Amino acid sequence: MGALRSYQADAAGFALDALSERGGAGLFLDMGLGKTLTSIAVMDVLHEADPSMRFLVVAPPLIAKYSWPDELAKWSGLHSLDWTVLDGSPRKRLEKLESGAAVTVVSQGLLKWLDDNVDRWPWRLWVVDELSGYKNPGSVRFRVLKARRANLNAHPLPSGGRSRTAGPKARVLGLTGTPATKNLLDLWAQMYLLDGGATLGPTMSGYRDEWFRPTRVIQGPYGPQAVEWEPRAGARRAILGAVAPECMSMRASDKLPDLPPLVEQDHWLDMPKATRRTYSKIRRDLAVRLDDGQEVTAANAGVLTGKLSQLATGCLYPDPDDPTGVVEHMDDAKLDELTAIRESSDGQLLVFYRFKDELERMRARFGSDLHEVHEPDIVARWNRGEVPMLAAHPLSAKFGLNLQEGGHEVVWTTLPWSLDDYSQANARLNRSGQRDTVVVHRLVERGTVDERILDVLAERASLHDSVMAALRRP
């Protein structure tokens, strides 16, 4: 495919070699480097060599519905692949399967349905988009692909087991820009899908016991149980060295020298005194009685952290078991700062929030100027400059939305703990085609859990950078 940039051609060549030699390949490319186009090129080369070969693309819902068919259509003059997208009713999906298209695109949420309804999978190569979404080996999506990777005929039986008829194995091309954003334990399940355990071992427990040591142990129902781990001395280098032959990383800053920089601007705010009193009391006592008589409690550390984040945002949700409770409005410190940012902005704002109460308060303050990602034609309207403010939850907007043509300013009213969510969401603007410096405004209240989130994001970014650097090719 002549449309490939030189670095994309290098990535495609690497993937083809790794697929041939090892049965799996991981392309760990930053957002905006063209993982989709590179994968289309890989499939096209294999299809040209064997026209009977069929491919399965598994992707997050929005990417499966929009990005893949759009890219396949955009470059249709440069490849020989036909395709179908499994959507609509179950009957419609089965009809599409009968088409025999070279490429079948399916949402990862439909993997269980596909597993239940197709005895023998005809797809000899899978492209698993956003491979980092399979880092949990207990997830349904991982278990389905694990079984089918080892045997494409491994259809589930009514008894709950799987057929033992021998069948061919699948080859897997995994795509992600964030392979390890929390810890190196994240790599095991992803690598298992690529090579069936050849690199990091056949079990998660074996991998963990060999390369990690527990740093936090709690008393579980059957005795002491480790809940946090860290790499042993030398483990990081050994693990990354082991996966390097089948994984390649690329950074946008290296391959797109004309991409404008991303600048993070922290807005330090003081929590209002009344909210601070409530914040201090619930952190100390794990409970607080509000002025309206409502009592809010924090049953454990996770719940406490959530309550503290709510207060740093200016609200407090009732306990889940309180059917009469209402969300308590505490203050508008962050909303006021968002208003100031908007007044000084020179264009459209992309605003990420965490709690529904934040969205409702933004709706009340900004009225018709505020839009949401589910609205019809929202991407086209944004890119035409018709959307003064676009509000989005990172989980609903971190994939499949290319907004770089319509703005260059992001505001986080409440930061996420997940570096993957944070990076992917910012990449809606910080990607190829962006002409201006991307400014990421982060609203942070001093002396609150906001500061801890900043530290966690920085720690995870450091790990991510080391992984990407270790797998970078000259």
Side-chain angles (χ1 to χ4, degrees):
M1 288 179 60
L4 294 182
R5 298 181 179 182
S6 60
Y7 68 83
Q8 293 168 334
D10 290 343
F14 172 86
L16 287 165
D17 289 343
L19 288 168
S20 174
E21 297 171 7
R22 306 179 69 89
L27 295 183
F28 300 164
L29 277 58
D30 266 354
M31 290 74 74
L33 288 180
K35 293 187 288 291
T36 304
L37 178 58
T38 302
S39 303
I40 292 172
V42 170
M43 291 188 288
D44 190 46
V45 169
L46 294 173
H47 189 253
E48 184 174 335
D50 180 1
S52 68
M53 191 169 184
R54 297 174 63 183
F55 310 91
L56 179 68
V57 174
V58 186
L62 286 177
I63 294 179
K65 185 175 182 179
Y66 298 112
S67 298
W68 272 96
D70 287 352
E71 288 292 294
L72 284 162
K74 178 180 178 181
W75 303 106
S76 60
L78 299 173
H79 65 77
S80 61
L81 305 168
D82 61 332
W83 66 91
T84 187
V85 180
L86 295 187
D87 57 8
S89 66
R91 180 177 178 180
K92 188 69 174 177
R93 291 178 223 145
L94 290 173
E95 290 175 356
K96 290 184 174 185
L97 285 171
E98 294 297 323
S99 70
V103 179
T104 298
V105 183
V106 64
S107 164
Q108 60 194 23
L110 290 176
L111 278 175
K112 181 64 167 61
W113 175 87
L114 194 65
D115 192 37
D116 291 341
N117 285 275
V118 181
D119 289 356
R120 297 182 178 181
W121 281 19
W123 308 288
R124 288 155 52 196
L125 173 70
W126 306 341
V127 178
V128 182
D129 204 348
E130 299 305 336
L131 180 66
S132 58
Y134 298 79
K135 60 190 176 186
N136 177 8
S139 66
V140 171
R141 69 182 70 162
F142 173 82
R143 294 201 303 269
V144 167
L145 293 189
K146 177 185 177 183
R148 290 284 185 164
R149 187 202 180 282
N151 181 356
L152 289 171
N153 298 341
H155 182 65
L157 301 172
S159 61
R162 285 184 176 267
S163 64
R164 297 181 180 272
T165 305
K169 294 183 179 181
R171 290 186 284 173
V172 179
L173 173 60
L175 312 175
T176 182
T178 52
T181 56
K182 187 175 183 181
N183 55 54
L184 289 176
L185 290 170
D186 291 348
L187 285 178
W188 181 83
Q190 298 174 69
M191 293 305 302
Y192 189 97
L193 290 184
L194 298 186
D195 62 23
T199 298
L200 298 182
T203 66
M204 174 67 163
S205 59
Y207 168 67
R208 187 179 57 210
D209 292 343
E210 179 176 2
W211 295 112
F212 298 82
R213 67 177 186 84
T215 57
R216 183 181 172 214
V217 178
I218 64 173
Q219 188 64 34
Y222 303 105
Q225 178 181 353
V227 293
E228 292 182 6
W229 303 74
E230 70 176 11
R232 299 181 187 276
R236 176 178 296 187
R237 176 177 295 181
I239 291 167
L240 296 178
V243 305
E246 59 195 80
C247 298
M248 167 188 269
S249 77
M250 289 184 180
R251 302 306 304 261
S253 56
D254 296 330
K255 303 303 178 182
L256 300 175
D258 295 331
L259 184 69
L262 180 146
V263 176
E264 294 170 326
Q265 181 175 337
D266 293 335
H267 297 248
W268 291 94
L269 309 175
D270 292 319
M271 178 178 280
K273 292 181 179 179
T275 309
R276 175 68 69 180
R277 286 194 295 270
T278 302
Y279 185 96
S280 299
K281 182 171 178 55
I282 199 168
R283 184 175 61 178
R284 182 182 65 248
D285 302 336
L286 303 185
V288 64
R289 183 173 295 278
L290 303 175
D291 291 343
D292 61 3
Q294 183 178 193
E295 185 169 354
V296 179
T297 61
N300 54 52
V303 174
L304 175 62
T305 300
K307 297 295 185 185
L308 297 180
S309 288
Q310 293 165 19
L311 287 165
T313 302
C315 65
L316 187 59
Y317 279 70
D319 291 344
D321 59 355
D322 182 359
T324 62
V326 297
V327 179
E328 188 78 12
H329 174 60
M330 305 299 293
D331 66 71
D332 284 331
K334 288 189 174 180
L335 191 60
D336 292 342
E337 187 66 15
L338 173 60
T339 301
I341 293 172
R342 184 198 172 198
E343 290 173 350
S344 62
S345 173
D346 60 0
Q348 301 178 132
L349 287 182
L350 176 58
V351 183
F352 289 108
Y353 63 90
R354 181 172 167 189
F355 301 106
K356 187 176 179 180
D357 180 71
E358 295 177 86
L359 175 61
E360 292 176 349
R361 283 187 281 153
M362 285 191 288
R363 286 172 178 162
R365 178 167 295 199
F366 301 114
S368 61
D369 283 348
L370 186 75
H371 297 263
E372 299 174 50
V373 294
H374 58 76
E375 296 178 16
D377 301 319
I378 192 63
V379 173
R381 290 159 53 203
W382 166 273
N383 285 329
R384 290 196 300 264
E386 300 170 0
V387 181
M389 300 180 71
L390 180 60
H393 192 284
L395 293 182
S396 66
K398 69 177 185 177
F399 300 132
L401 294 177
N402 296 330
L403 304 173
Q404 66 272 25
E405 296 179 13
H408 63 98
E409 287 190 82
V410 179
V411 181
W412 287 89
T413 57
T414 303
L415 288 165
W417 292 94
S418 166
L419 179 65
D420 185 33
D421 290 351
Y422 178 73
S423 301
Q424 292 277 9
N426 289 336
R428 298 314 96 209
L429 299 185
N430 185 41
R431 59 195 305 112
S432 181
Q434 178 59 255
R435 296 180 297 274
D436 301 303
T437 296
V438 173
V439 180
V440 179
H441 302 272
R442 307 191 298 189
L443 309 191
V444 184
E445 291 200 336
R446 293 183 180 86
T448 72
V449 70
D450 284 354
E451 294 186 359
R452 177 57 184 152
I453 295 175
L454 280 180
D455 291 341
V456 168
L457 289 175
E459 292 166 4
R460 292 177 176 175
S462 178
L463 170 64
H464 172 67
D465 289 344
S466 69
V467 171
M468 297 293 277
L471 301 178
R472 184 181 296 134
R473 293 298 188 282

